[in-house]
Amino acid sequence: MYFENLALLGNYAPFFLKGVWTTIWLSAVCLALATVTGLVVGTLHQLAWKPVRALITVYIHLVRGTPFLVQLFIIFFLLPELVGLELSPIPSALVALLIHGTAYIAAIFSAGVASIPKGQWEATAAQGLSLMQTLRHVAFPQIFQFVLPPLVGQYVLLIKDTTVVSIVGVTELTKSGLLIASRIPEGVTIFSVIGVFYFLICYPLVHLANRLEQRFTPTAGN
Amino acid sequence: MLGHFNLQLIFDHFDLFRHGLWWTCLLSAMGWISAVSLGLTACALKLGPVRALQRSAGFYIESIRSTPLLVQLYFLYFGLPEIGIVLPEVAVGVIALGLNSGAYMAEIFRAGILKVAPGQIEAARSSGLSAWRIQRHVVLPQAVAYAAMPLMSQTIVLVKDSSLLSLISITELAFAAEDFYSRFFSPLEGYVTIALLYFAIYLILNSASDHWARKIKTITGTG
C-alpha cells in the first residue's frame, strides 16, 4: 500500500519541483528587494526629518505587532481595491512580503547606523564630506559586520514566511504539498520531503548566521 | 470596499472576535508553557555531559529552526493520524507551537548561560562553592537576566505564530476574521479588527519587556 502510494507520489514530482522553484524565486526576489528598501528606510529612520522618523517607527511597530498572515490578508483584499484591478495572488504576496521584510530589515540597519558614534558624523562634516559620502565611505563599511549576523538570521525567517503566502493561493512548495496531500494520504512522507527541502535552503543560512555571530559578537567578560 | 468600511457590523458581532481573542490567549499560554519546558530540557541536554543527548537536542533545535512552522504544523496535522495518533486540533496546534518555539527558547537559554563570564565561575570555584551552588547563585541568576529580553521577543513571535492555527480550523483570532468574511462578505473589517487586537497584545507584552529591561540593566550592568 505504502509503496503503491510512493509510486503515485513520484508522478507529482514535476508539480512539486515547480513549487520548489516558486519558493526559491519568491524568496530571492523578496530578500533582494527588502534588503534595498530596508537599507533606505533604516537609514532614514536615523537621519531623516523628525516626523518621517516617527512615521517609520510606527510602521516598524505595526509590522512587528501583527502576524504576517493578517498583513497578507489585508494587502490581498486592499491592493486590488487600490489599484482598481483584479490581481493574481503573486503580486499581493510579493507586496506583503516586501512590506513585512522591509520593516524587520530596516530595524536592523537602523540599529547599525545608530551604532556609529556622533563624533564621526561631526568629523566627516568638518572634512567637508556630504551625507551620502559619509554613509558610503564611513558609516556603511563599519556597520557591515554589525548588521550581518542579524540580517542573515532575518533572511531565514523571511524565507520561512513565504510558506504563509500559500493561503492566498500561491502554489509554492508548501501549497504544492498540501494539494498533493489532499489526493494521496501520505502526509508524513510528503511533509517530510518538504521539510527536507526547506532545511536544505535554510540550514546553510542558519549555520552562517551562527558563525557570523560567534565571529563578530564579543562575549561578556572580554 | 473602503468607502463603506462598516464599523457597526464589527460592534454588532464583536462576540466573534472576543471568542477568538480568548482562544488566541489560551493557545499562546499553553504553547508558551510547552515551549519553555521543552526549551529548558533541550538546553540542559545540549549543555549536559552525555554526547548522544547533546546530539539529539542539537538535531531537534537545528531541524526546527531550519523548517517553517506551517510545514511542521501540516506534518503533525496530516501525519499524526497516519501513525494512529488521533488528537483534537487544539492539541495538535499547541504541540506545534510548543515544538517550534521550544527550539528557539533552547537557544535563548543556552546563550544566556554561556554569556556568564567564565572568570566568574572560576572565581566561584576557587572560593570553594560547590558545583550546584555555582549554578544556583552565580550562573542562573545572570543567565535569567540575559535571557529575559529575547524570551519576551520569542513570546511575541509565539502569539503571532498562533494565527497559523486558524489554518487547521482552530477558532482563534485569525479564524474569527475568516469567519466574519464568510458571513458578511466584507473581509477588511474583520482583518483590520484582529490586526488591532494583535497589536494591543503586542503593545502590552512590549511595554512589559521594556519595563523589565530597565530592571535587568541593574543586574547585568549592561544593556
Side-chain angles (χ1 to χ4, degrees), chain B residues 11-206:
Chain B
F11 288 122
D12 286 348
H13 301 277
F14 201 74
D15 272 357
L16 217 60
F17 298 109
R18 193 164 31 218
H19 175 84
L21 185 62
W22 160 246
W23 272 100
T24 287
C25 294
L26 193 68
L27 290 164
S28 302
M30 292 194 290
W32 192 85
I33 293 168
S34 347
V36 169
S37 334
L38 256 172
L40 285 173
T41 312
C43 168
L45 294 181
K46 190 143 189 220
L47 291 174
V50 186
R51 247 298 174 49
L53 293 178
Q54 282 175 11
R55 289 256 173 85
S56 33
F59 175 76
Y60 158 65
I61 294 169
E62 299 303 336
S63 55
I64 291 285
R65 293 212 311 166
S66 302
T67 52
L69 172 60
L70 192 54
V71 174
Q72 295 157 12
L73 182 66
Y74 286 149
F75 178 83
L76 293 173
Y77 184 66
F78 290 101
L80 286 180
E82 280 169 26
I83 54 168
I85 304 172
V86 181
L87 293 172
E89 279 95 353
V90 173
V92 176
V94 171
I95 293 172
L97 274 184
L99 271 176
N100 183 267
S101 271
Y104 291 90
M105 287 184 181
E107 285 296 273
I108 290 169
F109 296 138
R110 199 169 69 97
I113 289 172
L114 294 180
K115 223 174 170 184
V116 177
Q120 291 191 20
I121 299 167
E122 284 158 24
R125 200 175 296 139
S126 38
S127 315
L129 264 70
S130 67
W132 161 246
R133 290 196 140 195
I134 293 173
Q135 291 301 324
R136 168 75 186 76
H137 295 289
V138 180
V139 178
L140 289 180
Q142 293 184 81
V144 167
Y146 285 127
M149 295 297 293
L151 190 63
M152 279 308 283
S153 312
Q154 186 57 39
T155 305
I156 291 171
V157 171
L158 190 149
V159 174
K160 290 189 291 174
D161 278 348
S162 73
S163 65
L164 290 182
L165 302 188
S166 63
L167 301 178
I168 58 167
S169 53
I170 294 176
T171 59
E172 43 66 78
L173 210 41
F175 190 89
E178 205 186 310
D179 197 12
F180 188 90
Y181 174 39
S182 61
R183 282 195 207 183
F184 309 110
F185 220 70
S186 51
L188 273 179
E189 283 91 341
Y191 285 105
V192 169
T193 306
I194 65 163
L196 291 174
L197 291 172
Y198 277 114
F199 193 63
I201 300 177
Y202 166 77
L203 286 181
I204 293 168
L205 291 175
N206 211 30

Side-chain angles (χ1 to χ4, degrees), chain A residues 144-156:
Chain A
F144 183 69
Q145 61 163 1
F146 184 84
V147 299
L148 210 52
L151 193 62
V152 175
Q154 192 59 52
Y155 284 169
V156 177

